[in-house]
């Protein structure tokens, strides 16, 4: 399986994600509901950056369980509670930290950031969905 990530001429540059992913492969892996919680019950990080890091760790675990890796991801969706533009530096900090810890390639695959009023619990600040393609 191969994933080609790129931003064609005519689209915005300098974004933390690529605009296009082209993948070859026949097996689709869909991961949803990944938040900044820890399996051992450790409390959620109180900040967005910390929750982004852990949510991406959890996403990587889910992908591995299905025989995929972050390199196979062709699309990410991040839902962030009470989103305002001034949260962007903290979100980018979390992405940078996770990239360093997980070997996540930046810019990300095509990604959407969706602001929501709330997620399933008041202390959950971010939830991640990922789509991967494997052979």
């Amino acid at each position: 399986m191969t994933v080609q990530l790129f931003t064609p001429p005519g689209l915005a540059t300098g974004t933390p994600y690529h605009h296009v992913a082209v993948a070859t492969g026949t097996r689709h892996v869909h991961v949803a509901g990944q938040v900044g919680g820890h399996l051992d019950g450790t409390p959620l990080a109180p900040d967005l950056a910390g929750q982004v890091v852990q949510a991406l760790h959890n996403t990587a675990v889910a992908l591995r369980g299905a025989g995929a890796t972050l390199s196979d991801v062709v699309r990410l969706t991040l839902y962030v509670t009470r989103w305002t533009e001034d949260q962007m530096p903290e979100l980018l900090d979390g992405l940078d930290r996770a990239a360093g810890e997980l070997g996540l390639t930046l810019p990300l695959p095509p990604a959407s950031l969706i602001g929501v009023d709330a997620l399933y619990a008041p202390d959950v600040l971010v939830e991640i969905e990922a789509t991967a393609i494997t052979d």
Side-chain angles (χ1 to χ4, degrees):
M1 195 284 308
T2 61
V3 175
Q4 179 188 12
L5 303 173
F6 63 96
T7 296
L11 293 179
T13 59
T15 59
Y17 58 89
H18 292 281
H19 289 272
V20 179
V22 177
T24 57
T26 57
R27 191 164 168 267
H28 292 226
V29 178
H30 299 268
V31 175
Q34 299 310 301
V35 298
H38 300 265
L39 184 60
D40 65 3
T42 303
L44 290 167
D47 63 316
L48 179 59
Q51 288 195 26
V52 166
V53 170
Q54 187 59 45
L56 283 167
H57 273 275
N58 294 344
T59 301
V61 169
L63 289 165
R64 276 195 306 275
T69 70
L70 288 167
S71 297
D72 299 316
V73 171
V74 296
R75 179 162 174 71
L76 288 171
T77 304
L78 291 86
Y79 299 93
V80 179
T81 59
R82 299 172 297 283
W83 175 257
T84 59
E85 193 174 336
D86 63 324
Q87 292 172 286
M88 186 60 83
E90 191 174 2
L91 177 77
L92 293 174
D93 177 52
L95 292 173
D96 285 341
R97 286 172 36 201
E101 294 174 15
L102 297 169
L104 179 65
T105 303
L106 296 177
L108 296 170
S112 293
L113 170 61
I114 300 171
V116 296
D117 287 335
L119 292 165
Y120 73 93
D123 55 344
V124 175
L125 303 177
V126 64
E127 183 173 324
I128 296 177
E129 295 179 345
T131 303
I133 308 291
T134 66
D135 283 329

